């Protein structure tokens, strides 16, 4: 029975996402991905060429989802940062994939050009929102906001130790979400105050 190539590729990406988020690129098993997708593992090589290229494709897909869910930074940076936080909380796969990539790849970055372009666009939108002249000026703020949003997913045990066990309750998560957004907005206010002194 032949399968629709688009559906097969989507099934492989979905299965690979689960496997890579749990085990990283090095620990992931092609046979488990193929079994979860309901296809032969030869299909993986036929569609993607290698396990590493499949990992890259999964990461690209999740980054696209972030852009669709979060959008670009706008004037309300607090709201933007809360959306980023919401994405990571609801879809922790991206953070897990990036952590695995960092641990296993020694900091190398597949698809570097497309990913740099992705972040240049986000940095420019952040610069526009902050009233800064260049994307480079906004980049440190973008990086710090991303870190604030992802850290509770990277080390949930630290969130519990520092913030208390109720951080895992709905009220605790809502308080953290509010605090992260408020902190980002306060940083923006500080940036504007400094600009007005120049």
């Amino acid at each position: 029975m032949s399968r629709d190539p688009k559906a097969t590729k989507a099934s492989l990406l979905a299965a690979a996402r689960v496997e890579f988020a749990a085990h990283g690129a090095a620990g992931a098993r092609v046979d488990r991905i193929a079994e979860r997708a309901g296809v032969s593992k030869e299909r993986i090589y036929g569609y993607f060429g290698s396990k590493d290229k499949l990992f890259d494709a999964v990461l690209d897909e999740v980054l696209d989802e972030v852009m669709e869910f979060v959008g670009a930074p706008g004037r309300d940076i607090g709201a933007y940062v809360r959306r980023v936080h919401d994405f990571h909380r609801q879809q922790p796969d991206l953070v897990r994939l990036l952590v695995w990539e960092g641990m296993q790849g020694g900091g190398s970055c597949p698809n570097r050009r497309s990913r740099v372009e992705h972040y240049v666009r986000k940095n420019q939108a952040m610069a526009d929102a902050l009233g800064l002249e260049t994307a480079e000026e906004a980049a440190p703020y973008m990086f710090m906001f991303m870190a604030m949003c992802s850290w509770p997913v990277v080390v949930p045990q630290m969130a519990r130790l520092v913030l208390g066990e109720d951080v895992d309750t709905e009220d605790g998560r809502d308080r953290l979400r509010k605090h992260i957004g408020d902190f980002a907005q306060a940083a923006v206010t500080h940036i504007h105050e400094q600009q007005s002194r120049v």
Side-chain angles (χ1 to χ4, degrees), residues 45-176:
Y45 300 109
Y47 280 104
F48 299 99
S50 70
K51 184 172 74 166
D52 288 340
K53 288 182 180 174
L54 175 57
F55 182 88
D56 297 345
V58 168
L59 202 46
D60 285 345
E61 182 179 65
V62 181
L63 287 169
D64 288 344
E65 287 177 19
V66 176
M67 281 304 289
E68 187 176 334
F69 183 93
V70 174
R75 291 285 171 199
D76 189 343
I77 294 297
Y80 170 76
V81 169
R82 286 186 188 100
R83 288 195 307 274
V84 175
H85 171 76
D86 290 345
F87 181 88
H88 289 316
R89 190 171 78 185
Q90 295 166 21
Q91 302 287 335
D93 291 349
L94 173 61
V95 173
R96 291 177 182 147
L97 290 166
L98 291 173
V99 169
W100 279 117
E101 180 185 50
M103 289 192 309
Q104 296 175 168
S108 66
C109 182
N111 295 338
R112 180 174 173 78
R113 173 177 278 165
S114 67
R115 287 169 68 183
V116 166
E117 289 169 359
H118 167 86
Y119 288 112
V120 166
R121 288 191 302 273
K122 288 181 88 164
N123 289 339
Q124 188 57 58
M126 179 68 74
D128 295 343
L130 298 178
L132 300 173
E133 291 185 16
T134 66
E136 290 78 14
E137 289 177 277
Y141 299 107
M142 176 63 80
F143 186 74
M144 296 310 294
F145 294 153
M146 289 166 52
M148 284 192 318
C149 294
S150 60
W151 193 240
V153 176
V154 176
V155 284
Q157 76 281 14
M158 289 299 297
R160 288 189 292 274
L161 289 169
V162 174
L163 301 171
E165 292 295 329
D166 74 334
V167 75
D168 288 329
T169 67
E170 188 174 343
D171 286 345
R173 287 190 295 269
D174 287 345
R175 281 195 303 275
L176 179 58

Side-chain angles (χ1 to χ4, degrees), residues 26-55:
R29 298 270 308 272
V30 170
D31 55 345
R32 286 194 300 244
I33 295 169
E35 183 179 352
R36 182 176 275 121
V39 300
S40 68
K41 60 183 181 179
E42 287 74 29
R43 291 282 181 104
I44 292 173
Y45 300 109
Y47 280 104
F48 299 99
S50 70
K51 184 172 74 166
D52 288 340
K53 288 182 180 174
L54 175 57
F55 182 88

